[in-house]
Amino acid sequence: MSTIVFLQELDEAQKQQIQKAAPHYELKAVPAKQADASLFQDAEIIVGWSKKLADYILAEDCPVKWVQTWSAGVDNMPLEKLSHKQVQLTSANGVHTVPISEQIFGYMLSFSRNFHQAIRNQSQQTWDTSGTFTELKGKSIAIVGVGNIGQETARLAQAFGMHTIGVRRSGQATEYIEQMYTMDQLDDALAQADYVVNILPLTDETKQLFNQERFAVMKKNAIFINVGRGSTVDTDALVQALEDQVIAGAGLDVFDPEPLPEDHPLWNMDQVIITPHIAGSNEHYTERVLDIFLANLKAYQNDQTLPINLVDYGKKY
């Protein structure tokens, strides 16, 4: 009997839900840290990924035909090898929509109301009313990489009375974005924005896209927010832009390198808010990945194209 291997812990209700949807498969659920090569001998479907077990999963005698990742990004996956093995790959894109869009507003509200400095003052028992206090209403937000997260962020931005600008590869218009630009028009979008939000995946085209030239076209009062991928930003250029006051501040959840070294200058910058790659974390993560998986599982068993988040190996996302 072919097996579905989950490299995650599941409760009994979740196991029953999967087994009911795929009665002709054996289900094995083992956390990746406890998994070994024997787990993949009959594995046709794998949910999750383990770098330490990649050689076994990619071996010619492993019968895997489909991998559903536990993450939205796939840039750390062996895409060429999976493509060569003709393994279908689906991501967990979409599970982060609510928490990441809310975290983006956490950064923006912190900067606009000076919360980031107030928290530092509180830890030192310091009463300090200095600082710049602004409103989000009437400000412009440029969302670079408009997908599910970007669209939800734009919806929230409009509720705050903000002007919404979007940048996406296709340039296709979408709801809640007032002005949409293509990637070739990125600088035009950046020049208008009070807040620049990077949600781009990491590809050959986006690696270190935010460099000295990109920061130079932004407003001096602009806040740069990165919840996409750390390597889409030239970190040294970002540090320089902050030190030289080319931009006003940054809210950062992802980094290059990551984890951010203890002696990195970003830690000591008052105009920077750092979170340790937790923007997508939330209490509904497993159930949302399961929703994606079960919808794809139904199509898979009917020999249909997987309908949700099927990765295009050519585009690398």
Side-chain angles (χ1 to χ4, degrees):
M1 178 182 287
S2 294
T3 62
I4 298 173
V5 175
F6 261 75
L7 295 174
Q8 301 286 338
E9 290 187 9
L10 298 172
D11 62 31
E12 285 305 312
Q14 291 165 343
K15 290 177 181 177
Q16 291 176 15
Q17 188 179 14
I18 297 163
Q19 203 65 76
K20 182 179 179 180
H24 303 298
Y25 286 85
E26 180 184 2
L27 175 63
K28 297 179 181 179
V30 179
K33 292 181 179 179
Q34 301 174 20
D36 58 37
S38 63
L39 196 66
F40 305 104
Q41 290 177 354
D42 301 309
E44 183 177 327
I45 301 169
I46 298 172
V47 182
W49 187 255
S50 170
K51 288 183 178 180
K52 73 173 184 177
L53 297 168
D55 289 343
Y56 299 106
I57 297 172
L58 295 167
E60 291 300 324
D61 57 350
C62 180
V64 63
K65 296 181 180 178
W66 168 30
V67 173
Q68 166 70 58
T69 70
W70 207 252
S71 62
V74 296
D75 49 270
N76 63 340
M77 302 280 289
L79 300 180
E80 290 186 12
K81 293 179 180 179
L82 288 167
S83 177
H84 177 74
K85 193 174 168 65
Q86 296 185 319
V87 174
Q88 297 185 90
L89 178 65
T90 51
S91 75
N93 187 32
V95 301
H96 308 99
T97 299
V98 172
I100 292 183
S101 58
E102 290 183 358
Q103 178 139 339
I104 289 166
F105 271 84
Y107 293 130
M108 293 200 298
L109 288 167
S110 292
F111 281 114
S112 69
R113 303 311 305 159
N114 216 25
F115 288 153
H116 61 303
Q117 193 58 53
I119 291 169
R120 292 185 174 98
N121 291 338
Q122 180 179 345
S123 67
Q124 300 175 38
Q125 296 84 44
T126 300
W127 184 280
D128 184 357
T129 60
S130 64
T132 301
F133 298 88
T134 62
E135 299 178 354
L136 295 184
K137 185 176 181 179
K139 299 296 190 299
S140 294
I141 179 174
I143 301 165
V144 186
V146 177
N148 294 328
I149 297 169
Q151 191 167 3
E152 175 63 8
T153 300
R155 185 186 71 82
L156 294 174
Q158 287 194 342
F160 274 87
M162 300 182 75
H163 173 52
T164 56
I165 302 164
V167 183
R168 68 191 326 180
R169 186 175 184 176
S170 67
Q172 182 177 355
T174 190
E175 193 175 10
Y176 307 119
I177 298 290
E178 296 167 35
Q179 291 177 270
M180 185 69 79
Y181 293 86
T182 65
M183 292 298 291
D184 291 338
Q185 301 169 311
L186 175 60
D187 287 356
D188 294 332
L190 298 181
Q192 302 176 55
D194 300 294
Y195 295 89
V196 174
V197 180
N198 174 31
I199 322 178
L200 288 170
L202 179 60
T203 67
D204 293 340
E205 291 76 23
T206 64
K207 186 174 178 61
Q208 294 199 340
L209 178 69
F210 285 93
N211 54 23
Q212 183 180 7
E213 289 74 21
R214 296 289 85 70
F215 293 121
V217 301
M218 295 182 193
K219 293 181 177 181
K220 287 191 177 297
N221 70 317
I223 300 295
F224 176 69
I225 294 171
N226 190 12
V227 290
R229 283 290 179 264
S231 295
T232 61
V233 176
D234 181 337
T235 306
D236 291 340
L238 173 59
V239 169
Q240 196 66 51
L242 290 163
E243 288 179 341
D244 295 345
Q245 299 182 2
V246 174
I247 60 174
L252 308 171
D253 188 58
V254 290
F255 304 87
D256 180 22
E258 188 173 304
L260 192 65
E262 292 180 4
D263 60 350
H264 200 281
L266 285 170
W267 286 112
N268 296 316
M269 291 184 169
D270 288 344
Q271 72 274 47
V272 175
I273 298 174
I274 290 173
T275 53
H277 204 148
I278 48 79
S281 300
N282 66 89
E283 72 270 37
H284 303 296
Y285 201 101
T286 297
E287 64 187 77
R288 287 173 179 164
V289 176
L290 276 180
D291 287 343
I292 293 170
F293 173 68
L294 290 170
N296 281 333
L297 180 61
K298 181 178 180 180
Y300 179 85
Q301 292 180 99
N302 291 322
D303 295 320
Q304 298 171 346
T305 300
L306 302 184
I308 305 177
N309 299 342
L310 182 62
V311 171
D312 182 330
Y313 287 117
K315 294 180 179 178
K316 299 185 178 180
Y317 63 87

